[in-house]
Amino acid sequence: MMLNLREYHRPTDLEEAVRLLRRRETRTVPLAGGTTLVPSRRRDVEAVVDLADLGLAYIRSEGDRLRIGATTTLQQLAEAPLLSDPPAGQTFLRLLAETAHATAPSTLRTAATVGGILAAPQASTPLIVALLALDAHLTLWAPQPRQTSLESFLAYRERLLADGALITEVSLPLPRPDDPPARAAWAWVGRTPHDQPIVCAAAWLVRAGDTVQAIRLALGGVADHPIRLPALERELQGAPLDAATLTLDIPNPPSDFLGSAEYRQAMALQLARRALAQAWGR
Ligand SMILES: Cc1cc2nc3c(=O)[nH]c(=O)nc-3n(C[C@H](O)[C@H](O)[C@H](O)COP(=O)(O)OP(=O)(O)OC[C@H]3O[C@@H](n4cnc5c(N)ncnc54)[C@H](O)[C@@H]3O)c2cc1C
């Protein structure tokens, strides 16, 4: 439990939540599912703003974007019919249901939220890797709403979340009805089938006959946060895909008790090949 907590707030509108979070005199942080924050023994937190009544638990398809509210839980993502049984032309959305399920065990999934996962990301969180491959953008209230790509957010997270910024929504592009179908897949390696990944990869692509019309590839577990590989994506675009000949050069992967830098580099290559080959064949 936070050791200096003095105030609990549960606002019902966003402006009030942001106002509370931006107070300089009282160190205030958002409380979402609480799975990380509540058991933490943080001394710096004096007040929390519970996000539960802000109406941010939703998953909806609106025109050309899928919108996910920040307090949507991992379990809601894993079970949402829109994601687990998506309409024709949007089958790549299954990637979100699959990776939300794989991100945490059921006890955590029912509480942990999309916003919490993004605010406190781990290096190989499957859902974040999937969201990167699906070109997700975030809405941050800081203090007015603004958009940022997930890629930029992950690179500058601490700066963007300073001064009481609040993640309110994640959204991603949906294809138009006449667009060719996109496909997506992911692959991972961990110590056991129920453990979190050491390394994982997610791929999204559109085929035009035998060539790649559009492609995105993301990796987890090879840097301090999940990353996309834009240079490789550019190389693969417009050519036939031969995943077996793919090469990857990842600068300075981390090395720890879960896996050495060399192991992570080798796994990243195999998993990227597997995810790409699966997406290509789907
Ligand atoms: C036992 C255990 C196992 C775990 N295993 C995994 C794992 O395998 N993989 C993995 O990826 N993670 C794992 N986690 C981390 C877990 O996913 C985090 O607890 C989750 O990211 C937090 O989500 P939450 O909604 O509970 O956030 P909270 O605990 O409520 O908040 C976490 C942090 O994010 C901030 N925050 C929350 N929502 C927002 C928002 N909308 N805008 C801005 N800031 C916000 C909070 O202020 C706090 O600093 C594990 C955690 C535990 C306790």
Side-chain angles (χ1 to χ4, degrees):
M1 191 63 195
M2 293 153 277
L3 297 173
N4 290 315
L5 188 65
R6 290 187 278 113
E7 294 175 20
Y8 169 86
H9 300 270
R10 194 161 169 153
T12 51
D13 71 90
L14 267 171
E15 278 86 358
E16 175 62 358
V18 172
R19 186 193 69 75
L20 288 163
L21 287 167
R22 290 177 65 80
R23 293 179 299 170
R24 293 214 177 274
E25 68 285 6
T26 309
R27 169 79 170 123
T28 309
V29 300
L31 170 66
T35 58
T36 297
L37 188 58
V38 170
S40 75
R41 296 180 64 77
R42 284 176 64 171
R43 289 183 182 277
D44 60 321
V45 177
E46 295 170 299
V48 292
V49 171
D50 191 333
L51 309 180
D53 288 345
L54 293 176
L56 296 176
Y58 57 83
I59 304 166
R60 54 182 178 242
S61 169
E62 266 180 25
D64 61 355
R65 295 200 78 77
L66 180 82
R67 300 189 181 280
I68 302 170
T71 59
T72 307
T73 64
L74 295 179
Q75 188 64 17
Q76 286 169 331
L77 280 177
E79 287 179 344
L82 188 58
L83 307 182
S84 54
D85 186 18
Q90 298 181 5
T91 53
F92 65 91
L93 292 177
R94 286 199 193 109
L95 185 68
L96 289 180
E98 290 168 13
T99 53
H101 189 274
T103 288
S106 60
T107 44
L108 281 180
R109 281 201 304 273
T110 52
T113 65
V114 176
I117 291 282
L118 292 167
Q122 299 195 353
S124 62
T125 303
L127 179 62
I128 301 184
V129 176
L131 286 168
L132 271 179
L134 300 185
D135 197 23
H137 280 58
L138 308 191
T139 306
L140 289 177
W141 278 59
Q144 302 301 322
R146 56 178 280 204
Q147 303 289 319
T148 178
S149 70
L150 175 55
E151 223 180 332
S152 312
F153 172 78
L154 291 170
Y156 303 107
R157 180 179 61 90
E158 284 183 15
R159 208 163 77 201
L160 290 169
L161 286 183
D163 300 327
L166 184 65
I167 304 164
T168 56
E169 186 177 87
V170 184
S171 75
L172 47 100
L174 291 174
R176 289 183 299 261
D178 51 349
D179 283 346
R183 306 129 188 264
W186 78 293
W188 67 284
V189 62
R191 289 177 300 184
T192 72
H194 297 293
D195 205 357
Q196 63 193 98
I198 302 170
V199 181
C200 59
W204 170 97
L205 58 83
V206 177
R207 275 179 80 156
D210 281 339
T211 59
V212 175
Q213 183 177 311
I215 191 161
R216 292 192 287 267
L217 184 61
L219 292 173
V222 296
D224 61 357
H225 58 74
I227 55 167
R228 246 179 88 176
L229 301 169
L232 180 63
E233 291 170 8
R234 280 194 295 276
E235 217 175 278
L236 295 174
Q237 194 161 332
L241 182 76
D242 182 1
T245 61
L246 186 77
T247 56
L248 271 185
D249 185 22
I250 296 165
N252 308 317
S255 190
D256 60 19
F257 71 100
L258 287 173
S260 64
E262 295 74 23
Y263 175 79
R264 288 170 190 270
Q265 173 87 36
M267 286 302 106
L269 176 59
Q270 294 309 324
L271 296 169
R273 285 178 173 168
R274 202 174 296 166
L276 283 167
Q278 276 175 19
W280 184 253
R282 269 188 177 179

